[in-house]
């Protein structure tokens, strides 16, 4: 885990205050409560790091609770993906819970509320109820069913449960206050009829509890001490407390809801609903498409759990929403991969170099360090021969003094190898350079200790031996959206800002040491960036995803405008 911070965030201050005014440390308990209606995204990482981080700081249990009250949208696939992602981030939950485990208890409590005259069955259409809701400045009006007799309410509620009614015919509402300044307190719905099979309770139920009725009561059942959620629930806190008042018993832990700001990331959307739209409309291939801001997409792209945790810790917890630039996330993955990723050579836009003074048919295996910054990383051998690939952009026939790469008459060092000099080049009928003829200096071999091996030349290029090169599919990504905040435009849908060029697929030529890489292996292609082995790889063809470049080119682009 990352280093302990010295200052406390505002939620930690709340906990510290509670500990001073009577809470015992042993009573602290937290939860992370995703709805299994999609995959977790980078915004969730903030909530996960917050809740599980608090668990670690206070030695308190943290439950993973699935808020599964809407069978229309929830699936086992999402439950599995969420568990996998939380574990992958490196966190351990105390117990795995489901709001659906509490359906019986919630039903019994609802019956209790009916008996106490605090809940009633409303048999109006949702449109009728909406017109009675009033406005923030105008009180609502009572439903004609508001004063239904307790017996009749009980009977109807039971019939709802027994499946005797169609969807939309009746709802159970809490009887609170139709003139409350908080619209959510104007007799909120507690149950609705849904004739849908649930991924866990199957067809046991055809009435399902609403979020507000479920969440606080679930916290209470689990004896969660602090229930942290995002700001959109701030207005729900009154209701959370009202529902708790109805069931709370002395001497039990009374959960406390507090809110923090959602985290938004630039050039993407962080909302399960919107991400689902990208998957359904085929803009991306799947929830774990490497362009997605989902945890599984980031994993596939090559992100490490630590880089995501470091990012979440750096941005911390805030009271107000703001936009975090995606380059900060990229900074963290680059920073971590720089420490751990082995260095290898691969050429993505090949230009053939022929060493005219290197014997035909000969080859040698040169020693190459796996990570010059890490002496424990060891070394490997790379083959060198008469025909090599370098990057097209590393050669120019003519160039000014600032071009430290290869030009006619000029010299460069081939990484881990020899100094070469470009003598001539060949072009096709369109004038494109197809081959460069060079001579190599046999005495300049890196690491040989000779005077020539220490000779300094301005440029060092990466390369691969043509006949040993491994062909691989390389997927290169750009921002998924061309706009910084695609989902904040009033007149346009976020889909309108999808970048049509967010994926480029090319063939790369890699050094043969990469033959046996495994899925999710991460490497640095020297001078190019960090790359990760994609699960689409087969025995015949390795597929690499570009995680991130070596430098923050984005900042430069945006500076230029
Ligand atoms: P959607 O993204 O579709 O709106 P959601 O954010 O409501 O889904 P939930 O599964 O309900 O996702 O969220 C689980 C927990 O993660 C909640 O406590 C929620 O407040 C928190 N959370 C969700 N999105 C973010 C975000 N962008 N930043 C911080 N916390 C978040
Ligand atoms: Mg939500």
């Amino acid at each position: 885990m990352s280093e302990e911070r010295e200052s406390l965030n505002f939620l930690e201050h709340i906990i510290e205050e509670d500990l001073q005014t009577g809470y015992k440390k042993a009573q602290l308990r937290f939860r992370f409560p995703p709805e299994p209606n999609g995959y977790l995204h980078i915004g969730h990482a903030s909530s996960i790091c917050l809740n599980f981080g608090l668990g670690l700081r206070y030695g308190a249990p943290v439950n993973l609770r699935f808020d599964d009250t809407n069978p229309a949208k929830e699936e086992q696939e999402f439950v599995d993906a969420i568990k996998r992602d939380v574990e992958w981030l490196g966190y351990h939950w105390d117990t795995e819970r489901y709001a659906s485990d509490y359906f019986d208890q919630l039903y019994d409590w609802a019956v209790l509320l009916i008996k106490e005259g605090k809940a009633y069955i409303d048999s109006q259409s949702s449109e009728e109820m909406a017109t009675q809701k009033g406005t923030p400045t105008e009180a609502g009006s009572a439903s004609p069913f508001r004063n239904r007799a307790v017996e009749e309410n009980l009977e109807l509620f039971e019939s709802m449960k027994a499946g005797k009614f169609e969807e939309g015919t009746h709802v159970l509402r809490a009887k609170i206050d139709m003139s409350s300044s908080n619209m959510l307190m104007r007799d909120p719905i507690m149950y609705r009829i849904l004739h849908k099979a649930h991924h866990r309770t199957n067809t046991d139920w055809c009435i399902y509890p609403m979020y507000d009725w479920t969440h606080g009561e679930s916290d209470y059942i689990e004896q969660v001490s602090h229930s942290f959620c995002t700001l959109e629930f701030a207005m729900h806190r009154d209701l959370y407390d009202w529902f708790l008042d109805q069931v709370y018993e002395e001497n039990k832990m009374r959960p406390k809801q507090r809110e923090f700001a959602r985290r938004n990331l630039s050039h993407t959307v962080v909302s399960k609903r919107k991400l689902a739209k990208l998957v359904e409309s085929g803009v991306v291939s799947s929830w774990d498409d490497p362009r997605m801001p989902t945890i599984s997409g980031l994993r596939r792209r090559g992100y490490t759990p630590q880089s995501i945790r470091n990012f979440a810790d750096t941005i911390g917890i805030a009271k107000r929403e703001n936009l975090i630039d995606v380059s900060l996330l990229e900074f963290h993955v680059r920073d971590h991969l720089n420490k751990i990723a082995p260095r290898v050579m691969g050429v993505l836009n090949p230009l053939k170099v022929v060493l005219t003074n290197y014997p035909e048919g000969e080859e040698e295996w040169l020693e190459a360090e796996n990570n010059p910054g890490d002496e424990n990383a060891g070394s490997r051998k790379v083959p060198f021969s008469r025909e090599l690939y370098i990057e097209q952009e590393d050669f120019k026939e003519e160039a000014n003094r600032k071009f430290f790469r290869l030009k006619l008459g000029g010299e460069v060092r081939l990484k881990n190898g020899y100094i070469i000099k470009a003598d001539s080049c060949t072009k096709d009928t369109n004038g494109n350079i197809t081959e460069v003829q060079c001579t190599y200096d046999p005495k300049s071999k890196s690491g040989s200790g000779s005077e020539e091996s220490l000779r300094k030349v301005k440029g060092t290029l990466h390369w691969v031996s043509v006949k040993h090169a491994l062909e691989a599919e390389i997927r290169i990504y750009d921002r998924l959206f061309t706009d910084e905040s695609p989902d904040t435009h009033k007149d346009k849908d976020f889909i309108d800002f999808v970048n049509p060029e967010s994926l480029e697929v090319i063939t790369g030529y890699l050094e043969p040491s990469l033959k046996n890489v495994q899925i999710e292996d991460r490497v640095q292609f020297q001078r190019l960036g960090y790359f990760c082995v994609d699960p689409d790889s087969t025995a015949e063809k390795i597929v690499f995803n570009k995680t991130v470049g070596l430098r923050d080119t984005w900042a430069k682009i945006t500076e230029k405008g």
Side-chain angles (χ1 to χ4, degrees):
M1 293 297 127
S2 48
E3 286 165 34
E4 185 93 350
R5 270 172 296 113
E6 288 192 3
S7 60
L8 300 181
N9 65 43
F10 76 98
L11 297 176
E12 288 161 344
H13 277 293
I14 292 174
I15 297 171
E16 291 294 327
E17 249 176 65
D18 287 341
L19 286 173
Q20 274 164 24
T21 56
Y23 280 56
K24 294 193 190 66
K25 210 170 161 194
Q27 290 176 307
L28 295 182
R29 183 179 280 272
F30 309 100
R31 90 285 172 265
F32 170 62
E35 183 183 357
N37 63 345
Y39 282 52
L40 296 180
H41 51 65
I42 187 70
H44 290 116
S46 280
S47 177
I48 292 169
C49 293
L50 167 70
N51 285 295
F52 285 94
L54 288 171
L56 291 171
R57 177 180 278 261
Y58 292 102
V62 185
N63 286 347
L64 173 63
R65 176 178 344 121
F66 292 98
D67 241 325
D68 54 347
T69 56
N70 184 3
K73 291 194 186 148
E74 297 157 4
E75 286 173 34
Q76 186 61 39
E77 178 200 342
F78 300 139
V79 170
D80 297 339
I82 288 169
K83 285 165 63 177
R84 192 165 58 232
D85 288 348
V86 174
E87 279 179 328
W88 180 77
L89 281 173
Y91 294 108
H92 308 285
W93 52 86
D94 183 55
T95 50
E96 179 180 332
R97 303 292 189 109
Y98 294 83
S100 56
D101 290 343
Y102 313 137
F103 282 174
D104 281 311
Q105 174 68 82
L106 291 167
Y107 180 82
D108 292 346
W109 275 334
V111 168
L112 208 71
L113 259 68
I114 295 175
K115 286 182 179 162
E116 289 173 355
K118 290 175 176 167
Y120 62 96
I121 303 289
D122 197 332
S123 309
Q124 301 180 94
S125 66
S126 51
E127 292 76 25
E128 281 167 317
M129 284 186 265
T131 58
Q132 294 155 3
K133 263 264 135 118
T135 66
T137 52
E138 213 178 298
S141 50
S143 158
F145 299 102
R146 198 168 197 262
N147 292 320
R148 232 172 192 157
V150 169
E151 276 315 309
E152 193 186 346
N153 282 322
L154 285 174
E155 230 169 81
L156 284 167
F157 193 43
E158 211 179 313
S159 301
M160 276 169 68
K161 182 182 181 233
K164 296 192 181 151
F165 302 122
E166 282 181 24
E167 286 182 17
T169 51
H170 307 278
V171 290
L172 180 72
R173 294 177 74 177
K175 194 191 256 187
I176 307 180
D177 180 2
M178 286 307 290
S179 57
S180 171
S181 57
N182 181 347
M183 300 271 290
L184 294 167
M185 299 294 277
R186 296 182 186 175
D187 291 9
I189 295 175
M190 293 172 66
Y191 275 91
R192 78 278 204 212
I193 300 170
L194 277 179
H195 289 283
K196 295 222 160 59
H198 184 279
H199 64 101
R200 295 190 79 239
T201 59
N202 204 354
T203 50
D204 291 355
W205 295 87
C206 59
I207 56 171
Y208 289 93
M210 302 298 286
Y211 170 87
D212 286 308
W213 170 235
T214 312
H215 202 85
E217 316 309 278
S218 301
D219 286 340
Y220 181 60
I221 292 168
E222 293 174 20
Q223 288 290 281
V224 165
S225 58
H226 296 81
S227 178
F228 295 126
C229 58
T230 34
L231 280 172
E232 70 267 27
F233 295 105
M235 290 291 279
H236 295 245
R237 200 204 284 177
D238 287 345
L239 189 50
Y240 182 98
D241 286 333
W242 190 90
F243 280 138
L244 272 186
D245 286 340
Q246 311 312 314
V247 302
Y248 178 71
E249 288 171 26
E250 292 277 321
N251 301 325
K252 284 218 167 182
M253 169 57 73
R254 192 188 153 101
K256 189 180 251 193
Q257 175 186 305
R258 290 295 179 270
E259 306 85 17
F260 62 98
R262 284 183 91 85
R263 286 310 196 175
N264 301 310
L265 195 67
S266 77
H267 301 92
T268 192
V269 289
V270 273
S271 148
K272 282 200 241 107
R273 184 175 47 82
K274 292 172 190 160
L275 294 173
K277 199 165 160 191
L278 292 174
V279 177
E280 284 153 18
S281 62
V283 167
V284 295
S285 62
S286 55
W287 283 94
D288 70 347
D289 186 301
R291 289 167 292 182
M292 290 280 269
T294 51
I295 304 295
S296 52
L298 292 168
R299 171 169 62 231
R300 193 167 164 189
R301 178 83 172 253
Y303 277 71
T304 59
Q306 186 177 322
S307 62
I308 295 176
R309 292 198 306 262
N310 288 350
F311 166 74
D313 281 350
T314 303
I315 62 175
I317 293 302
K319 290 187 181 177
R320 249 182 254 160
E321 274 196 37
N322 64 353
L323 186 67
I324 312 281
D325 200 290
V326 65
S327 59
L328 183 63
L329 180 63
E330 292 172 346
F331 164 82
H332 282 283
V333 73
R334 194 181 291 118
D335 187 51
H336 190 214
L337 292 177
N338 180 36
K339 294 181 187 118
I340 63 160
R343 273 54 173 169
V344 293
M345 292 194 286
V347 172
L348 302 188
N349 296 299
L351 172 62
K352 196 190 239 182
V353 163
V354 177
L355 304 178
T356 50
N357 62 338
Y358 196 91
E360 237 163 295
E362 204 162 293
E363 65 181 47
E364 61 188 301
W365 289 72
L366 304 170
E367 192 80 17
E369 276 182 292
N370 291 334
N371 188 346
D374 174 5
E375 52 188 46
N376 297 321
S379 64
R380 67 190 187 287
K381 300 273 191 190
V382 289
F384 188 81
S385 66
R386 183 181 159 91
E387 293 189 348
L388 310 171
Y389 286 134
I390 63 168
E391 298 289 344
Q392 282 168 22
E393 61 167 32
D394 283 339
F395 174 75
K396 277 189 188 168
E397 285 183 273
E398 281 176 56
N400 66 21
R401 285 188 298 122
K402 288 199 180 135
F403 185 75
F404 295 138
R405 296 174 254 175
L406 192 60
K407 57 189 168 198
L408 287 182
E411 281 187 324
V412 289
R413 178 173 288 285
L414 295 177
K415 201 154 192 74
N416 306 307
Y418 297 91
I419 293 174
I420 61 168
K421 183 176 170 198
D423 303 315
S424 55
C425 65
T426 317
K427 292 182 195 166
D428 64 16
T429 46
N430 297 321
N432 298 316
I433 299 166
T434 52
E435 189 186 292
V436 187
Q437 294 85 33
C438 298
T439 40
Y440 86 113
D441 175 354
K443 291 200 245 65
S444 65
K445 184 168 161 183
S446 290
S448 66
S450 71
E451 209 174 296
E452 282 291 295
S453 74
L454 301 172
R455 185 152 73 84
K456 291 254 181 300
V457 288
K458 280 263 164 62
T460 301
L461 306 185
H462 62 277
W463 53 274
V464 290
S465 162
V466 172
K467 77 172 169 202
H468 300 91
L470 206 61
E471 277 191 31
E473 178 175 322
I474 313 284
R475 299 177 182 167
I476 297 177
Y477 303 101
D478 196 354
R479 305 273 188 263
L480 186 50
F481 292 95
T482 52
D483 191 83
E484 187 175 70
S485 319
D487 52 354
T488 56
H489 298 264
K490 284 201 187 75
D491 50 340
K492 276 192 165 173
D493 191 62
F494 70 94
I495 294 272
D496 297 342
F497 296 99
V498 164
N499 176 4
E501 282 158 18
S502 60
L503 169 64
E504 185 193 356
V505 181
I506 60 173
T507 300
Y509 299 84
L510 315 180
E511 63 168 75
S513 75
L514 290 164
K515 192 166 188 324
N516 296 315
V517 286
Q518 304 292 311
I519 287 161
E520 284 188 24
D521 276 357
R522 308 175 182 98
V523 293
Q524 183 197 92
F525 289 170
Q526 284 176 309
R527 299 180 63 232
L528 296 177
Y530 295 98
F531 292 77
C532 177
V533 181
D534 190 86
D536 285 348
S537 299
T538 61
E540 288 74 44
K541 189 178 70 179
I542 302 170
V543 180
F544 271 99
N545 294 313
K546 182 169 181 181
T547 310
V548 70
L550 293 181
R551 272 177 297 274
D552 187 358
T553 46
W554 184 254
K556 281 190 207 138
I557 292 165
T558 42
E559 258 168 45
K560 276 189 216 149

